[in-house]
mmCIF file of all heavy atoms in Angstrom:
data_model
loop_
_atom_site.group_PDB
_atom_site.id
_atom_site.type_symbol
_atom_site.label_atom_id
_atom_site.label_comp_id
_atom_site.label_asym_id
_atom_site.label_seq_id
_atom_site.Cartn_x
_atom_site.Cartn_y
_atom_site.Cartn_z
ATOM 1 N N ARG A 10 1.591 -50.075 40.298
ATOM 2 C CA ARG A 10 0.611 -49.502 39.368
ATOM 3 C C ARG A 10 -0.803 -49.924 39.714
ATOM 4 O O ARG A 10 -1.748 -49.229 39.403
ATOM 5 C CB ARG A 10 0.945 -49.904 37.938
ATOM 6 C CG ARG A 10 2.138 -49.177 37.354
ATOM 7 C CD ARG A 10 2.204 -49.384 35.853
ATOM 8 N NE ARG A 10 2.226 -50.800 35.483
ATOM 9 C CZ ARG A 10 3.330 -51.515 35.246
ATOM 10 N NH1 ARG A 10 4.501 -50.954 35.347
ATOM 11 N NH2 ARG A 10 3.240 -52.784 34.904
ATOM 12 N N ARG A 11 -0.977 -51.056 40.346
ATOM 13 C CA ARG A 11 -2.292 -51.574 40.691
ATOM 14 C C ARG A 11 -2.848 -50.998 41.993
ATOM 15 O O ARG A 11 -4.040 -50.989 42.204
ATOM 16 C CB ARG A 11 -2.256 -53.105 40.819
ATOM 17 C CG ARG A 11 -2.047 -53.790 39.533
ATOM 18 C CD ARG A 11 -3.231 -53.543 38.674
ATOM 19 N NE ARG A 11 -3.408 -54.614 37.715
ATOM 20 C CZ ARG A 11 -4.313 -54.598 36.793
ATOM 21 N NH1 ARG A 11 -5.131 -53.597 36.698
ATOM 22 N NH2 ARG A 11 -4.415 -55.586 35.942
ATOM 23 N N LEU A 12 -1.980 -50.545 42.885
ATOM 24 C CA LEU A 12 -2.440 -49.970 44.146
ATOM 25 C C LEU A 12 -3.105 -48.625 43.896
ATOM 26 O O LEU A 12 -2.588 -47.817 43.132
ATOM 27 C CB LEU A 12 -1.271 -49.776 45.116
ATOM 28 C CG LEU A 12 -0.677 -51.017 45.736
ATOM 29 C CD1 LEU A 12 0.577 -50.653 46.535
ATOM 30 C CD2 LEU A 12 -1.676 -51.723 46.618
ATOM 31 N N PRO A 13 -4.239 -48.380 44.528
ATOM 32 C CA PRO A 13 -4.833 -47.053 44.386
ATOM 33 C C PRO A 13 -3.931 -45.996 45.011
ATOM 34 O O PRO A 13 -3.233 -46.273 45.982
ATOM 35 C CB PRO A 13 -6.144 -47.144 45.155
ATOM 36 C CG PRO A 13 -6.185 -48.479 45.784
ATOM 37 C CD PRO A 13 -4.973 -49.243 45.388
ATOM 38 N N LEU A 14 -3.951 -44.831 44.443
ATOM 39 C CA LEU A 14 -3.189 -43.728 45.021
ATOM 40 C C LEU A 14 -3.852 -43.274 46.297
ATOM 41 O O LEU A 14 -5.080 -43.310 46.425
ATOM 42 C CB LEU A 14 -3.122 -42.561 44.032
ATOM 43 C CG LEU A 14 -2.418 -42.827 42.710
ATOM 44 C CD1 LEU A 14 -2.553 -41.620 41.801
ATOM 45 C CD2 LEU A 14 -0.955 -43.149 42.946
ATOM 46 N N SER A 15 -3.044 -42.845 47.245
ATOM 47 C CA SER A 15 -3.596 -42.343 48.512
ATOM 48 C C SER A 15 -4.581 -41.203 48.254
ATOM 49 O O SER A 15 -5.614 -41.118 48.905
ATOM 50 C CB SER A 15 -2.478 -41.870 49.424
ATOM 51 O OG SER A 15 -1.708 -42.949 49.851
ATOM 52 N N GLU A 16 -4.297 -40.366 47.272
ATOM 53 C CA GLU A 16 -5.177 -39.240 46.970
ATOM 54 C C GLU A 16 -6.553 -39.733 46.531
ATOM 55 O O GLU A 16 -7.571 -39.125 46.853
ATOM 56 C CB GLU A 16 -4.576 -38.332 45.880
ATOM 57 C CG GLU A 16 -3.329 -37.613 46.306
ATOM 58 C CD GLU A 16 -2.074 -38.467 46.153
ATOM 59 O OE1 GLU A 16 -2.090 -39.489 45.431
ATOM 60 O OE2 GLU A 16 -1.064 -38.129 46.780
ATOM 61 N N ASP A 17 -6.597 -40.850 45.788
ATOM 62 C CA ASP A 17 -7.873 -41.417 45.357
ATOM 63 C C ASP A 17 -8.635 -41.979 46.556
ATOM 64 O O ASP A 17 -9.861 -41.871 46.624
ATOM 65 C CB ASP A 17 -7.666 -42.518 44.326
ATOM 66 C CG ASP A 17 -7.061 -41.992 43.029
ATOM 67 O OD1 ASP A 17 -7.261 -40.786 42.725
ATOM 68 O OD2 ASP A 17 -6.434 -42.781 42.317
ATOM 69 N N GLU A 18 -7.918 -42.595 47.473
ATOM 70 C CA GLU A 18 -8.552 -43.173 48.653
ATOM 71 C C GLU A 18 -9.059 -42.090 49.608
ATOM 72 O O GLU A 18 -10.121 -42.243 50.216
ATOM 73 C CB GLU A 18 -7.563 -44.069 49.406
ATOM 74 C CG GLU A 18 -7.182 -45.308 48.632
ATOM 75 C CD GLU A 18 -6.141 -46.138 49.359
ATOM 76 O OE1 GLU A 18 -5.440 -45.589 50.242
ATOM 77 O OE2 GLU A 18 -6.041 -47.325 49.048
ATOM 78 N N ILE A 19 -8.316 -41.012 49.739
ATOM 79 C CA ILE A 19 -8.679 -39.909 50.634
ATOM 80 C C ILE A 19 -9.830 -39.107 50.042
ATOM 81 O O ILE A 19 -10.722 -38.661 50.746
ATOM 82 C CB ILE A 19 -7.472 -38.996 50.907
ATOM 83 C CG1 ILE A 19 -6.392 -39.775 51.651
ATOM 84 C CG2 ILE A 19 -7.886 -37.742 51.668
ATOM 85 C CD1 ILE A 19 -5.051 -39.084 51.701
ATOM 86 N N GLY A 20 -9.820 -38.940 48.727
ATOM 87 C CA GLY A 20 -10.833 -38.133 48.067
ATOM 88 C C GLY A 20 -10.655 -36.662 48.418
ATOM 89 O O GLY A 20 -9.548 -36.209 48.710
ATOM 90 N N PRO A 21 -11.741 -35.912 48.479
ATOM 91 C CA PRO A 21 -11.650 -34.474 48.777
ATOM 92 C C PRO A 21 -11.651 -34.160 50.268
ATOM 93 O O PRO A 21 -12.016 -33.056 50.666
ATOM 94 C CB PRO A 21 -12.899 -33.918 48.091
ATOM 95 C CG PRO A 21 -13.887 -35.016 48.172
ATOM 96 C CD PRO A 21 -13.073 -36.297 48.050
ATOM 97 N N ARG A 22 -11.265 -35.123 51.084
ATOM 98 C CA ARG A 22 -11.304 -34.920 52.548
ATOM 99 C C ARG A 22 -10.053 -34.212 53.031
ATOM 100 O O ARG A 22 -9.105 -34.817 53.496
ATOM 101 C CB ARG A 22 -11.490 -36.247 53.263
ATOM 102 C CG ARG A 22 -12.856 -36.852 53.022
ATOM 103 C CD ARG A 22 -13.028 -38.146 53.733
ATOM 104 N NE ARG A 22 -12.250 -39.179 53.078
ATOM 105 C CZ ARG A 22 -12.260 -40.444 53.409
ATOM 106 N NH1 ARG A 22 -12.973 -40.854 54.439
ATOM 107 N NH2 ARG A 22 -11.535 -41.319 52.751
ATOM 108 N N ARG A 57 -1.402 -45.921 55.160
ATOM 109 C CA ARG A 57 -0.783 -44.853 54.375
ATOM 110 C C ARG A 57 -1.296 -43.489 54.777
ATOM 111 O O ARG A 57 -0.638 -42.475 54.564
ATOM 112 C CB ARG A 57 -1.020 -45.087 52.885
ATOM 113 C CG ARG A 57 -0.315 -46.346 52.400
ATOM 114 C CD ARG A 57 -0.326 -46.477 50.920
ATOM 115 N NE ARG A 57 -1.669 -46.807 50.440
ATOM 116 C CZ ARG A 57 -1.980 -46.939 49.169
ATOM 117 N NH1 ARG A 57 -1.064 -46.771 48.240
ATOM 118 N NH2 ARG A 57 -3.207 -47.252 48.809
ATOM 119 N N TRP A 58 -2.505 -43.432 55.362
ATOM 120 C CA TRP A 58 -3.103 -42.165 55.760
ATOM 121 C C TRP A 58 -4.230 -42.440 56.773
ATOM 122 O O TRP A 58 -4.653 -43.583 56.940
ATOM 123 C CB TRP A 58 -3.671 -41.428 54.545
ATOM 124 C CG TRP A 58 -4.636 -42.265 53.776
ATOM 125 C CD1 TRP A 58 -4.337 -43.124 52.754
ATOM 126 C CD2 TRP A 58 -6.041 -42.378 54.000
ATOM 127 N NE1 TRP A 58 -5.482 -43.755 52.341
ATOM 128 C CE2 TRP A 58 -6.543 -43.322 53.073
ATOM 129 C CE3 TRP A 58 -6.921 -41.786 54.882
ATOM 130 C CZ2 TRP A 58 -7.890 -43.665 53.012
ATOM 131 C CZ3 TRP A 58 -8.267 -42.137 54.835
ATOM 132 C CH2 TRP A 58 -8.732 -43.064 53.891
ATOM 133 N N ALA A 77 -11.360 -45.254 56.386
ATOM 134 C CA ALA A 77 -12.285 -45.659 55.323
ATOM 135 C C ALA A 77 -11.986 -44.871 54.048
ATOM 136 O O ALA A 77 -11.790 -43.655 54.096
ATOM 137 C CB ALA A 77 -13.728 -45.431 55.764
ATOM 138 N N VAL A 78 -11.958 -45.572 52.928
ATOM 139 C CA VAL A 78 -11.661 -44.925 51.658
ATOM 140 C C VAL A 78 -12.883 -44.164 51.149
ATOM 141 O O VAL A 78 -14.021 -44.473 51.505
ATOM 142 C CB VAL A 78 -11.189 -45.934 50.592
ATOM 143 C CG1 VAL A 78 -9.913 -46.625 51.033
ATOM 144 C CG2 VAL A 78 -12.260 -46.934 50.257
ATOM 145 N N TRP A 79 -12.639 -43.162 50.324
ATOM 146 C CA TRP A 79 -13.695 -42.378 49.697
ATOM 147 C C TRP A 79 -14.362 -43.260 48.655
ATOM 148 O O TRP A 79 -13.702 -43.895 47.845
ATOM 149 C CB TRP A 79 -13.077 -41.148 49.040
ATOM 150 C CG TRP A 79 -14.075 -40.215 48.456
ATOM 151 C CD1 TRP A 79 -14.477 -40.153 47.156
ATOM 152 C CD2 TRP A 79 -14.818 -39.210 49.131
ATOM 153 N NE1 TRP A 79 -15.409 -39.182 46.981
ATOM 154 C CE2 TRP A 79 -15.645 -38.581 48.184
ATOM 155 C CE3 TRP A 79 -14.865 -38.789 50.453
ATOM 156 C CZ2 TRP A 79 -16.499 -37.545 48.520
ATOM 157 C CZ3 TRP A 79 -15.725 -37.750 50.781
ATOM 158 C CH2 TRP A 79 -16.520 -37.135 49.820
ATOM 159 N N THR A 80 -15.702 -43.309 48.690
ATOM 160 C CA THR A 80 -16.442 -44.134 47.722
ATOM 161 C C THR A 80 -17.490 -43.289 47.010
ATOM 162 O O THR A 80 -17.704 -42.119 47.351
ATOM 163 C CB THR A 80 -17.151 -45.311 48.423
ATOM 164 O OG1 THR A 80 -18.240 -44.806 49.208
ATOM 165 C CG2 THR A 80 -16.196 -46.112 49.292
ATOM 166 N N SER A 81 -18.197 -43.920 46.092
ATOM 167 C CA SER A 81 -19.268 -43.219 45.362
ATOM 168 C C SER A 81 -20.460 -42.930 46.272
ATOM 169 O O SER A 81 -21.335 -42.146 45.905
ATOM 170 C CB SER A 81 -19.702 -44.048 44.157
ATOM 171 O OG SER A 81 -20.188 -45.309 44.578
ATOM 172 N N ASP A 83 -20.091 -41.489 49.203
ATOM 173 C CA ASP A 83 -19.754 -40.252 49.915
ATOM 174 C C ASP A 83 -20.071 -39.044 49.034
ATOM 175 O O ASP A 83 -19.805 -39.060 47.834
ATOM 176 C CB ASP A 83 -18.277 -40.239 50.279
ATOM 177 C CG ASP A 83 -17.918 -41.375 51.223
ATOM 178 O OD1 ASP A 83 -18.624 -41.553 52.226
ATOM 179 O OD2 ASP A 83 -16.924 -42.069 50.954
#
Side-chain angles (χ1 to χ4, degrees):
R10 285 193 305 265
R11 291 294 207 185
L12 288 173
L14 297 175
S15 292
E16 293 83 17
D17 295 334
E18 293 177 340
I19 296 167
R22 292 181 287 184
R57 295 190 288 178
W58 55 271
V78 299
W79 184 263
T80 70
S81 60
D83 298 311

